[in-house]
Amino acid sequence: MLVGPMVWVTAALCVVWIGVGAASFLLLRPPSGMVLAGVCLAGTSGTAWLALSMVVRHGPFSVHLPGHGEVPWSDIASIELQPGLLSVPTVSVRQGRALSEVELGGLAWFGRRTSQRLAERLAEAGGLGEVVVRGRTAAPGRRAAD
């Protein structure tokens, strides 16, 4: 199981929802305090569901991907890293003759180091080889003539 930084941030938001709900229940008058506490309970439930859905579960034969369920390691073509302000690991899944890309938002983070380390751990678990960073080539290319 891989739990990335965005999962921890989302879990921290759950704690904030709980705190606001408890404070509103205790500090506000009964009708409005209870209503706001109920709204915070709904926010806590939704945020907790989001945090749990971003956890990447894997085993020796498959990995659980958001929106795809259990995917056998043999159906995964590659794991790549989309660099930028927020680096997001992306898994390319074979679906027939096409490839479908699944972003792993729970493993994303600002900068590249943390996201790449988590993506490499996932690639190592599935024996997929090296994590490719998009936008980088192994050798410098030549520009085509105009």
Side-chain angles (χ1 to χ4, degrees):
M1 180 165 63
L2 286 175
V3 180
M6 285 301 181
V7 175
W8 293 113
V9 169
T10 308
L13 286 175
C14 282
V15 173
V16 170
W17 276 112
I18 291 170
V20 170
S24 65
F25 183 75
L26 295 173
L27 300 175
L28 297 177
R29 295 185 186 258
S32 59
M34 291 178 69
V35 169
L36 189 56
V39 169
C40 289
L41 180 62
T44 301
S45 300
T47 308
W49 173 81
L50 179 64
L52 291 173
S53 70
M54 289 193 301
V55 173
V56 179
R57 293 170 184 83
H58 61 84
F61 304 109
S62 64
V63 62
H64 183 83
L65 296 176
H68 288 339
E70 293 293 323
V71 177
W73 287 113
S74 59
D75 287 349
I76 296 178
S78 66
I79 297 178
E80 299 176 344
L81 186 69
Q82 180 67 43
L85 179 63
L86 188 68
S87 297
V88 182
T90 304
V91 176
S92 296
V93 179
R94 291 184 190 97
Q95 291 183 328
R97 296 175 67 190
L99 289 177
S100 173
E101 292 189 349
V102 180
E103 291 184 346
L104 303 176
L107 304 182
W109 194 240
F110 300 97
R112 195 181 84 209
R113 189 176 317 149
T114 302
S115 298
Q116 186 168 5
R117 182 177 43 83
L118 290 167
E120 286 170 352
R121 285 180 50 195
L122 185 62
E124 182 181 309
L128 298 173
E130 186 177 335
V131 173
V132 177
V133 178
R134 290 183 178 174
R136 292 196 168 179
T137 58
R142 291 189 346 201
R143 210 172 143 192
D146 292 326

